[in-house]
Amino acid sequence: MLIRGGSRLVNQQIPLKEKSIVFIGFMGVGKTTIGKLVAKKLYRDFIDIDEEIEKEFQMPVSQIFNEIGESAFRQKEKDIIINMCRKRLQVISVGGGAFLQEEVQKECLSSCIVFFLDLSWESWKERISMIIDSRPVLQGKTIEEIEELFYKRQKIYSNHHSKVHTDHQEIEEIADYIVESLKLAWELYG
């Protein structure tokens, strides 16, 4: 059984097959890329929470952090996630820090199927040059501080329904694995 906590999922108002799917994990692990592919394979809409926030504020996340502040960003993030989680048949990518908010965790876990995309620190480090400029939380941090943040957040991501190890796997492989695990869960739990 690839999705644990099945009874928790079955007891909700929304049938399991119609629950939205949420991807969590550290920034840069591939939540958006994999989420888009899973959405396509399941014929669902894909929602990137950071993109939704950027639309609301009409500026990029880094500018929101600089001009309006992280607390305003986190409040908007929470509002949008809670709203999206209550909809059916979505695939949602949440920002790396979203699960720091207890209300976000609670809503995602009770209303949706939450997949934690897990990538080792060694594999993640290889991606840092591609993502550092677009991640305000990483700005001005040493590699040691980023590593500390990485491991601190791993504890937060331990609240999920299914963990998917993504090291040394192709995006297509990961998406197929997730889709197959969902189909199996839907067969078993309706």
Side-chain angles (χ1 to χ4, degrees):
M1 179 58 194
L2 300 174
I3 298 178
R4 65 183 176 81
S7 60
R8 263 195 323 217
L9 295 173
V10 174
N11 293 332
Q12 300 301 319
Q13 300 289 346
I14 300 173
L16 186 60
K17 284 183 180 180
E18 295 180 22
K19 284 181 177 275
S20 288
I21 299 156
V22 172
F23 287 104
I24 65 170
F26 200 64
M27 58 195 94
V29 299
K31 298 180 298 287
T32 297
T33 305
I34 294 165
K36 284 179 179 175
L37 194 51
V38 168
K40 182 179 177 186
K41 290 174 180 287
L42 294 175
Y43 303 99
R44 292 184 176 205
D45 290 331
F46 176 76
I47 308 294
D48 181 295
I49 296 301
D50 284 350
E51 286 179 13
E52 296 299 311
I53 295 167
E54 288 177 342
K55 285 181 203 169
E56 290 267 338
F57 284 109
Q58 298 184 342
M59 62 180 78
V61 170
S62 56
Q63 193 176 349
I64 297 167
F65 266 67
N66 288 337
E67 293 182 17
I68 301 171
E70 185 175 357
S71 62
F73 174 86
R74 295 292 177 206
Q75 181 61 48
K76 182 60 71 178
E77 178 180 58
K78 180 178 74 173
D79 295 344
I80 292 173
I81 291 171
I82 289 171
N83 181 43
M84 292 298 172
C85 284
R86 292 178 179 168
K87 296 181 179 182
R88 297 172 187 229
L89 303 170
Q90 312 271 337
V91 175
I92 305 165
S93 168
V94 302
F99 249 50
L100 295 169
Q101 300 181 68
E102 195 173 317
E103 289 176 75
V104 168
Q105 273 190 46
K106 187 176 177 181
E107 187 64 40
C108 290
L109 291 165
S110 66
S111 300
C112 303
I113 302 169
V114 178
F115 282 91
F116 166 36
L117 299 182
D118 189 23
L119 185 67
S120 71
W121 168 249
E122 291 306 314
S123 293
W124 185 86
K125 267 195 323 189
E126 294 171 10
R127 301 178 181 191
I128 195 165
S129 63
M130 295 182 295
I131 65 168
I132 195 157
D133 291 337
S134 63
R135 312 298 167 138
V137 174
L138 301 180
Q139 301 303 307
K141 287 193 170 40
T142 65
I143 193 72
E144 292 80 15
E145 290 170 323
I146 294 171
E147 183 177 12
E148 183 181 329
L149 179 65
F150 179 90
Y151 285 111
K152 183 178 174 186
R153 289 204 178 163
Q154 294 301 97
K155 294 174 188 165
I156 292 157
Y157 304 139
S158 66
N159 294 317
H160 57 265
H161 296 117
S162 187
K163 180 194 241 180
V164 181
H165 297 281
T166 61
D167 281 33
H168 315 295
Q169 291 192 57
E170 296 297 319
I171 293 164
E172 190 80 31
E173 265 184 292
I174 298 164
D176 285 342
Y177 174 82
I178 290 166
V179 168
E180 290 307 312
S181 68
L182 285 165
K183 287 180 179 177
L184 177 61
W186 294 337
E187 283 178 32
L188 294 173
Y189 297 103

